[in-house]
């Protein structure tokens, strides 16, 4: 089974622990942040923010796994996972959201998917 680093391509961009970067980051593959980034992240793959990672900026990606801190506007084409150590502040748009017990979420969330969310009128209503 693949781990979260390998789910959407190669992990070839890492901001390591105790690193600090200011500026926007645009890559085609998975990005992992274990240090601090002040700026936007844009990728066609995954963004992984480790337990000690801190991102202040907007994120656009296919998937997001948050274990650390994120403050910004986030647009995810696939699914988002907020691990138990995650702290999220901002607005989130995603298709699927998983929030582990202990994670902190402060903001707004908008979810869309391809499933039909309208009630099926052909089913008989049952009342007690």
């Amino acid at each position: 089974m693949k781990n979260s680093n390998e789910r959407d391509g190669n992990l070839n961009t890492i901001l390591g622990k105790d690193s600090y970067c200011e500026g926007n980051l645009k890559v085609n593959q998975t990005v992992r942040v274990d240090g601090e980034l002040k700026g936007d992240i844009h990728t066609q793959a995954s963004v992984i923010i480790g337990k000690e990672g801190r991102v202040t900026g907007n994120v656009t990606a296919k998937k997001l796994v948050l274990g650390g801190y994120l403050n910004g506007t986030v647009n995810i084409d696939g699914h988002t996972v907020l691990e138990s150590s995650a702290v999220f502040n901002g607005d989130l748009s995603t298709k699927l959201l998983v929030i582990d017990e202990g994670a902190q979420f402060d903001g707004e969330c908008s979810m869309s998917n391809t499933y039909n969310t309208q009630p099926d009128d052909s089913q008989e209503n049952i009342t007690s």
Side-chain angles (χ1 to χ4, degrees):
M1 181 173 162
K2 291 183 176 184
N3 66 35
S4 61
N5 294 350
E6 300 170 343
R7 287 184 185 150
D8 281 317
N10 298 326
L11 174 62
N12 58 8
T13 305
I14 300 173
L15 182 62
K17 182 180 173 184
D18 298 325
S19 297
Y20 174 81
C21 182
E22 204 168 317
N24 298 329
L25 186 60
K26 184 175 182 179
V27 298
N28 291 324
Q29 298 296 324
T30 297
V31 176
R32 181 173 178 102
V33 178
D34 289 313
E36 184 175 357
L37 173 67
K38 288 190 179 184
D40 298 343
I41 300 174
H42 181 82
T43 181
Q44 296 174 3
S46 296
V47 172
I48 302 163
I49 301 173
K51 288 182 181 181
E52 296 183 30
R54 295 183 58 83
V55 174
T56 303
N58 303 321
V59 175
T60 303
K62 185 174 181 183
K63 294 182 182 178
L64 171 66
V65 178
L66 177 61
Y69 174 85
L70 175 56
N71 183 358
T73 300
V74 178
N75 293 295
I76 305 300
D77 289 336
H79 72 268
T80 299
V81 177
L82 302 183
E83 296 177 338
S84 62
S85 56
V87 177
F88 178 84
N89 295 303
D91 295 329
L92 172 64
S93 175
T94 187
K95 289 186 180 171
L96 176 68
L97 177 61
V98 176
I99 302 178
D100 289 347
E101 184 175 347
Q104 297 177 33
F105 183 98
D106 185 15
E108 293 188 24
C109 180
S110 144
M111 295 176 64
S112 65
N113 59 38
T114 59
Y115 301 110
N116 182 7
T117 58
Q118 299 300 318
D120 185 357
D121 292 332
S122 67
Q123 291 183 354
E124 194 173 304
N125 289 334
I126 300 173
T127 57
S128 19

